[in-house]
Amino acid sequence: MATKNIKHAFRKTPTPKKDGKRLKVLIAGGGLSGFCAAHLLTQNGVNVEVYEALNRLGGRTYTVEGVDMGGTFVGPEKKRTIYLADQLGVKQIQLDKDGLYTFLLGGKVYRTKDALPLGAVGPEDLAALLWGLGNIMLKTSNVDLNEPWKSESALEWDKMTVQDYFDNLIFTEVAGELFRIIVEVLVGVEPWEMSLLYFLWYIKSGHGIIDILTDAQDAIFAGGTQQFSKKLAK
């Protein structure tokens, strides 16, 4: 239980009983997952309280003056997120796909229509990058999407960061820099801030790196993503 919390009690509805006593469910975390769980439980007659350690709701979804500082994008494959947005009256804004990507690589600025500036690197750097990404994609085939901790090499992968893995795999500086950019764009954190297991699971759940870089960033939500949690909390 959090030492500092904001408590949100949902509507009081008839709650299932066990041995003659009413049950109450306490949910730790006032992010999108926590409030979706609370919403589902209250719809089924369960009395729920949500506890959040921070002084705000939303978890990884954090919106400042309409700009998302955390989770931002949605793609056509995210049907549950789109359904929830429709239920809450949150509108999508389709992104302009005719614009240019801007990259800072090796001290130079590149603008390209491609999701990655592969045309800006030499053959050795490109080969090193594709070798590393190919290794990642091969490993995702061994990840259990529903229970990733039960994957064959889960313990080994969870002990190392993504940076650790690529330090031993990518053998050119430019390829390593490109990979860092890919990780930042895909997940929004640095390679040394997450485990390899999580990254592999994330890539597989998004149907591969290219799909996440393109279709998975098809649209944003008007007003930002934090409003999902706020609306569900009412």
Side-chain angles (χ1 to χ4, degrees):
M1 185 62 63
T3 55
K4 175 183 177 184
N5 61 65
I6 303 170
K7 184 175 76 172
H8 286 266
F10 281 70
R11 65 181 184 274
K12 302 299 182 180
T13 53
T15 302
K17 294 183 178 181
K18 181 179 182 181
D19 300 328
K21 297 181 179 180
R22 288 194 180 277
L23 301 178
K24 177 183 287 187
V25 174
L26 303 182
I27 295 178
L32 188 53
S33 296
F35 276 113
C36 282
H39 181 66
L40 180 62
L41 288 169
T42 56
Q43 284 185 321
N44 287 275
V46 180
N47 192 8
V48 177
E49 289 185 357
V50 178
Y51 287 81
E52 169 57 51
L54 300 177
N55 62 355
R56 64 171 179 83
L57 305 180
R60 288 186 64 250
T61 57
Y62 180 40
T63 308
V64 179
E65 297 182 359
V67 178
D68 282 318
M69 311 299 288
T72 304
F73 302 101
V74 67
E77 292 293 326
K78 303 300 180 183
K79 293 180 172 56
R80 293 182 181 179
T81 304
I82 294 171
Y83 174 79
L84 179 62
D86 290 341
Q87 294 297 303
L88 296 176
V90 179
K91 303 297 183 183
Q92 292 184 56
I93 300 175
Q94 295 297 313
L95 297 179
D96 182 6
K97 295 184 178 180
D98 295 327
L100 299 176
Y101 292 91
T102 301
F103 297 92
L104 178 61
L105 183 63
K108 296 181 180 179
V109 176
Y110 297 93
R111 292 184 173 85
T112 171
K113 289 186 176 182
D114 300 319
L116 292 174
L118 299 182
V121 301
E124 183 181 4
D125 296 321
L126 181 59
L129 178 66
L130 294 179
W131 164 255
L133 295 180
N135 260 270
I136 285 288
M137 293 309 299
L138 283 174
K139 280 180 165 49
T140 61
S141 63
N142 295 319
V143 174
D144 186 327
L145 274 182
N146 296 319
E147 297 177 309
W149 55 90
K150 291 185 178 180
S151 302
E152 184 178 350
S153 302
L155 185 59
E156 175 191 352
W157 292 340
D158 206 36
K159 284 182 178 179
M160 69 173 73
T161 68
V162 178
Q163 186 70 53
D164 293 334
Y165 179 70
F166 267 78
D167 281 345
N168 295 321
L169 192 66
I170 288 187
F171 49 86
T172 76
E173 184 177 347
V174 172
E177 192 172 347
L178 267 173
F179 173 71
R180 178 184 57 77
I181 292 172
I182 291 172
V183 173
E184 289 174 344
V185 171
L186 290 178
V187 194
V189 299
E190 300 294 343
W192 56 85
E193 293 181 306
M194 71 181 140
S195 77
L196 179 62
L197 177 62
Y198 175 79
F199 186 63
L200 294 173
W201 173 85
Y202 185 87
I203 295 299
K204 186 170 183 176
S205 67
H207 307 289
I209 291 173
I210 299 302
D211 280 358
I212 298 176
L213 285 172
T214 53
D215 290 344
Q217 299 186 5
D218 186 59
I220 60 176
F221 292 106
T225 55
Q226 189 180 5
Q227 66 181 305
F228 283 75
S229 297
K230 292 181 177 179
K231 287 177 178 288
L232 287 169
K234 292 181 180 179

